[in-house]
């Protein structure tokens, strides 16, 4: 029997699903993170997981985004052969209308991050369209849709290798994961696609990330096939790398490994690997012609009771901070920042450096200040600013030396590790780099007491803001001597875990 899917039901269902996943983590993720929190032996990593879990519950209660990067939309559509669409536009356009409405919903505005003309103009489309849409034709008279919002920090760490048939997949994964740094916001999942062609392997990896986290169940019952054996082996060996939550060192780097495979040419072995971050967001629904879909919300009592103890953190006044005070900070120290800071990420840094090169006066005085790498969500209701978690700091590495040397900036705040170029510049300028927890954007935004755009308003969420904060939690990631917690902590924890030898990530 033919099923008729109405346009308004499709649009409403996509819109509602995107709103839903912006503030509700999948329950399997919450449960897996809760178990990781209970097991974690490194206090710094445990604190980071605590912030992620507290943020998750706050978002569920407040219906605000888990992460300020509300992602690029991925839609997987399985269309039954006995389905007829009642549309006045193309199927792509109908799905994108759902995306547009979902991101512009005035009670919970989501950040628009999609840029048109990617190689040249890179202009924001203002509504996060278009989505990346994949279709399959399948037997039946229903439409199954999986909607995901994929953050740039994790998507940028996607990897593809065209291995030789005799090459070890495990060895490649263990060589590759350390090169990904912590910008993908572990702990999360790794989706791995094996076989097909280059693009098929990557599709398999992305599809694998939509599956339920069930590693604890698999470990209890034991593997039933070779793929499950491979999942367990990679899971145990990646966690034995000691990278840990946010790259701070610890017992849990991945919550699960998901693998899908497909036949391939005899001459090769394509392998794709895509991480999902600590803001993993996806939902599945079905349309059967009876109206828009309804996704069951989790119960607040299903969230773990987790507290984060800030009593051991050093309080820092950003308006009176001195070089001597900064010199006393050690890698891994936790700080609570209060006072004035400025924001700025990729586009703002590019413009600042162009102004410096042209001898122009900068629009803000950064001397003795900190700059926060963030592109916040627009505020709603009585908010000062929307969710405002850090973006991946390594993207600003190439600008760091010039900005530090020209402005007298004291330091930077961002997500995850810094590369050697930035670390050298930090050391040479006796500056510092502080790390905020990725995946805790709503929690971080509650520390912002005032927010005002002070430069480059045309850049939208990438404009320079002046923030006044109170007790914003961060940790010292690179001190004035150039010592990086991300360089030393994983090695310490890898040695403690001691299951695998150190692998040279630069070899091969």
């Amino acid at each position: 029997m033919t099923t008729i899917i109405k346009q308004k039901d499709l649009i409403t269902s996509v819109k509602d699903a995107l709103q839903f996943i912006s503030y509700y983590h999948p329950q399997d993720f919450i449960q897996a993170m809760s178990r990781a929190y209970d097991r974690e032996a490194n206090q710094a990593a445990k604190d980071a997981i605590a912030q992620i879990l507290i943020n998750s519950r706050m978002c569920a209660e407040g219906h605000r985004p888990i992460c300020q990067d509300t992602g690029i939309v991925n839609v997987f559509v399985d269309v039954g052969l006995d389905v007829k669409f009642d549309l006045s536009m193309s199927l792509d356009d109908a799905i994108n209308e759902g995306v547009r409405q979902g991101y512009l919903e005035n009670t919970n505005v989501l950040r628009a991050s999609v840029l048109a003309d990617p190689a040249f103009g890179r202009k924001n489309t203002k509504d996060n369209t278009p989505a990346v849409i994949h279709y399959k034709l399948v037997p039946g008279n229903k439409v199954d849709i999986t909607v995901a919002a994929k953050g740039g920090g994790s998507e940028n760490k996607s990897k593809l290798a065209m291995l030789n048939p005799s090459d070890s997949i495990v060895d490649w994964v263990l060589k590759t994961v350390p090169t990904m740094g912590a910008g993908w916001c572990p702990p999360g999942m790794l989706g791995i696609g094996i076989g097909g062609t280059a693009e098929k392997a990557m599709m398999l990896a992305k599809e694998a990330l939509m599956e339920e986290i069930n590693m604890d169940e698999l470990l209890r019952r034991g593997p039933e096939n070779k793929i499950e054996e491979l999942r367990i082996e990679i899971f145990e060996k990646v966690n034995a790398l000691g990278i840990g939550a946010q790259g701070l060192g610890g017992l849990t780097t991945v919550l699960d490994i998901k693998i899908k495979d497909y036949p391939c040419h005899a001459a090769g072995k394509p392998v794709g690997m895509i991480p999902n971050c600590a803001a993993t967001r996806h939902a599945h629904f079905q349309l059967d012609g009876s109206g828009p879909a309804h996704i069951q919300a989790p119960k607040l009592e299903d969230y773990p009771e987790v507290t984060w103890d800030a009593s051991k953190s050093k309080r820092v006044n950003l308006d009176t901070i001195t070089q001597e005070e900064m010199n006393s900070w050690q890698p891994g120290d936790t700080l609570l920042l209060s006072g004035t800071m400025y924001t700025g990420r990729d586009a703002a840094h590019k413009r600042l450096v162009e102004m410096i090169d042209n001898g122009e006066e900068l629009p803000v005085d950064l001397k003795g200040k900190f700059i926060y790498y963030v592109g916040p969500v627009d505020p709603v209701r009585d908010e000062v600013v929307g969710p405002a978690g850090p973006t991946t700091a390594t993207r600003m590495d190439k600008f760091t030396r010039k900005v530090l040397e020209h402005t007298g900036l004291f330091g930077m705040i961002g997500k995850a590790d810094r590369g050697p170029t930035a670390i050298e510049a930090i050391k040479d300028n006796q500056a510092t780099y502080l790390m905020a927890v990725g995946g805790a954007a709503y929690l971080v935004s509650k520390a912002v007491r005032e927010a005002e755009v002070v430069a480059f308003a045309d850049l939208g969420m990438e404009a320079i803001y002046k923030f006044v904060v109170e007790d914003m939690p961060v940790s010292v990631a690179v001190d004035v001597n150039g010592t990086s917690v991300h360089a030393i902590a994983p090695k310490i924890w890898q040695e403690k875990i001691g299951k695998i030898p150190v692998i040279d990530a630069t070899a091969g």
Side-chain angles (χ1 to χ4, degrees), residues 49-198:
I49 296 172
Q51 289 187 48
I52 291 167
L53 287 170
I54 292 168
N55 180 76
S56 182
R57 185 185 179 101
M58 288 173 61
C59 295
E61 292 173 331
H63 284 196
R64 291 295 274 145
I66 292 164
C67 181
Q68 81 289 338
D69 183 352
T70 50
I72 184 169
V73 178
N74 291 227
V75 186
F76 301 86
V77 188
D78 289 0
V79 181
L81 291 169
D82 295 321
V83 165
K84 177 178 173 60
F85 288 97
D86 180 10
L87 303 175
S88 62
M89 59 182 75
S90 72
L91 186 51
D92 270 21
D93 287 346
I95 290 171
N96 280 318
E97 180 58 29
V99 174
R100 180 176 296 107
Q101 292 185 20
Y103 274 72
L104 298 180
E105 171 58 51
N106 60 14
T107 61
N108 180 41
V109 178
L110 306 180
R111 197 185 83 182
S113 302
V114 172
L115 308 181
D117 192 20
F120 303 104
R122 294 182 66 82
K123 296 295 185 183
N124 198 303
T125 64
K126 304 295 187 182
D127 56 15
N128 225 54
T129 63
V132 178
I133 308 171
H134 307 281
Y135 296 104
K136 288 181 183 175
L137 293 175
V138 298
N141 63 349
K142 296 179 176 61
V143 178
D144 283 284
I145 298 179
T146 298
V147 173
K150 196 69 167 58
S154 60
E155 189 70 6
N156 284 346
K157 303 301 182 180
S158 302
K159 303 294 181 182
L160 172 69
M162 306 303 286
L163 298 182
N164 292 319
S166 60
D167 290 343
S168 165
I169 293 170
V170 175
D171 286 351
W172 176 75
V173 170
L174 295 180
K175 182 178 75 172
T176 303
V177 168
T179 71
M180 291 159 52
W184 60 281
C185 283
M189 295 166 61
L190 292 178
I192 297 175
I194 305 170
T197 52

Side-chain angles (χ1 to χ4, degrees), residues 419-483:
T421 300
I423 291 174
E424 184 180 0
I426 290 168
K427 178 181 178 181
D428 290 347
N429 288 275
Q430 292 289 282
T432 190
Y433 167 61
L434 309 177
M435 190 198 78
V437 172
Y442 195 39
L443 175 65
V444 172
S445 73
K446 294 303 180 184
V448 182
R449 299 292 183 252
E450 298 176 26
E452 174 191 5
V453 174
V454 293
F456 309 154
D458 61 297
L459 296 180
M461 63 93 174
E462 293 210 56
I464 293 180
Y465 287 74
K466 178 183 176 182
F467 278 1
V468 177
V469 301
E470 183 178 341
D471 289 345
M472 176 178 166
V474 296
S475 57
V476 179
V478 181
D479 68 8
V480 296
N481 299 310
T483 304

Side-chain angles (χ1 to χ4, degrees), residues 68 157 180-186 245-248 316 318 321 323 325-335 337 341-342 344-345 349 369-374 389-401 404 409-438 472-487:
Q68 81 289 338
K157 303 301 182 180
M180 291 159 52
W184 60 281
C185 283
Q246 303 290 301
L248 294 170
V316 175
L318 294 173
I321 187 172
Q323 182 69 51
E325 185 178 358
M326 267 198 332
N327 292 347
S328 71
W329 297 346
Q330 301 296 313
D333 283 355
T334 56
L335 312 175
L337 306 181
M341 66 174 63
Y342 292 96
R345 41 177 286 163
H349 273 75
K369 295 297 183 182
F370 277 75
I371 196 164
Y372 181 26
Y373 301 152
V374 62
T391 196
T392 306
T394 50
R395 298 202 311 274
M396 269 53 73
D397 281 5
K398 64 182 179 181
F399 305 116
T400 298
R401 180 174 293 279
L404 287 175
L409 186 75
F410 265 1
M412 302 137 286
I413 306 161
K415 181 180 77 175
D417 48 322
R418 303 304 299 261
T421 300
I423 291 174
E424 184 180 0
I426 290 168
K427 178 181 178 181
D428 290 347
N429 288 275
Q430 292 289 282
T432 190
Y433 167 61
L434 309 177
M435 190 198 78
V437 172
M472 176 178 166
V474 296
S475 57
V476 179
V478 181
D479 68 8
V480 296
N481 299 310
T483 304
S484 168
V485 71
H486 291 98

